[in-house]
Amino acid sequence: QSALTQPASVSGSPGEAITISCTGTTSDVGGYAYVSWYQHHPGKAPKLMIYDVSLRPSGVSNRFSGSKSGNTASLNISGLQPEDESDYYCASYSTRGTPYVFGTGTKVTVL
Amino acid sequence: QVQLVESGGGVVQPGRSLRLSCAASGFTFNNYGMHWVRQAPGKGLEWMAVIWNDGGKKQYADSVTGRCTISRDNSKNTLHLEMNSLRADDTGVYYCARDLTVSGVLTFYLDSWGQGTLVTVSS
């Protein structure tokens, strides 16, 4: 089962907005509204940031938002802050073999 | 608050077996599905397995099917992962995570994670 495709890195200056893409297929991202995003600071526990494509769990800043178009989901971070520097992973339910797949991961750097 | 604490990691020789555990507290364990996820050094997250809240259903990633068994003991609020025929590429940090289960329906959204336990497969 192939991982979902994300850019290896994205960077932005404080206060700017960035977008991370997550490309799959009709068997995962494109076929279902079951996309989620996780923030993972190395050495720490990953954190659920977005679920059901665009919903935020309680306590997650509204600077984080999610969307989907076709086979590509996106995570937008507005008003970039130093603490947003982290690795981000998308994930999706899948009907091809492995039932849950992560993206390849994106390292976000705040310049 | 929700707490998940993994244990059982360490250095293990190739071909051997290992059993990881995850102690859960701060929530009603038998109401939630549970997952295992791992991360190899320098690599991304890899979903491995899920077990339903009552233990009645399990699913595995293609990459570990046949070599891993997920289980749980709801009387002890503990999740387990047994791995056999370990290989060098099984080296990594292993996380347990809680499923955002709603009224017994698993969502496959992992809303709480442990800090992980490191497994090193080496001779």
Side-chain angles (χ1 to χ4, degrees):
Chain A
Q1 177 67 29
S2 298
L4 308 174
T5 302
Q6 298 179 231
S9 62
V10 173
S11 62
S13 298
E16 289 185 343
I18 61 170
T19 299
I20 303 169
S21 62
C22 169
T23 302
T25 69
T26 54
S27 296
D28 38 65
V29 174
Y32 308 91
Y34 299 140
V35 177
S36 51
W37 290 89
Y38 298 86
Q39 178 189 65
H40 187 204
H41 289 106
K44 297 196 173 182
K47 178 182 178 181
L48 178 66
M49 305 299 285
I50 295 286
Y51 66 99
D52 278 357
V53 175
S54 60
L55 301 183
R56 281 186 305 275
S58 174
V60 172
S61 170
N62 59 9
R63 297 186 299 103
F64 292 84
S65 61
S67 62
K68 190 186 79 157
S69 178
N71 294 340
T72 299
S74 299
L75 175 71
N76 182 268
I77 309 175
S78 62
L80 203 60
Q81 297 183 2
E83 59 264 33
D84 298 332
E85 188 161 292
S86 186
D87 297 323
Y88 291 85
Y89 295 88
C90 62
S92 173
Y93 174 76
S94 174
T95 55
R96 279 195 312 168
T98 300
Y100 192 65
V101 290
F102 282 99
T104 50
T106 298
K107 181 176 179 60
V108 168
T109 301
V110 181
L111 302 171
Chain B
Q1 72 283 16
V2 174
Q3 191 168 15
L4 299 169
V5 180
E6 301 91 341
S7 62
V11 179
V12 60
Q13 292 180 328
R16 303 296 290 268
S17 299
L18 193 67
R19 190 191 200 206
L20 304 179
S21 298
C22 170
S25 60
F27 64 101
T28 304
F29 185 66
N30 61 12
N31 283 350
Y32 291 85
M34 297 294 296
H35 300 253
W36 284 99
V37 175
R38 68 181 177 182
Q39 184 175 35
K43 303 293 185 181
L45 299 176
E46 179 189 12
W47 181 85
M48 296 182 69
V50 62
I51 185 168
W52 262 244
N53 54 309
D54 61 358
K57 184 175 179 180
K58 308 171 186 179
Q59 288 185 306
Y60 298 92
D62 289 346
S63 60
V64 300
T65 295
R67 291 199 304 126
C68 284
T69 302
I70 188 172
S71 62
R72 63 191 295 161
D73 184 340
N74 284 346
S75 69
K76 296 182 179 179
N77 291 350
T78 305
L79 174 73
H80 299 289
L81 181 72
E82 182 140 6
M83 300 185 61
N84 303 314
S85 304
L86 285 165
R87 312 184 297 232
D89 63 359
D90 292 316
T91 293
V93 177
Y94 286 71
Y95 298 95
C96 66
R98 188 181 78 168
D99 185 275
L100 185 57
T101 305
V102 179
S103 300
V105 178
L106 271 66
T107 62
F108 279 68
Y109 297 135
L110 283 54
D111 70 342
S112 294
W113 297 63
Q115 294 288 332
T117 187
L118 176 63
V119 173
T120 302
V121 181
S122 173
S123 54

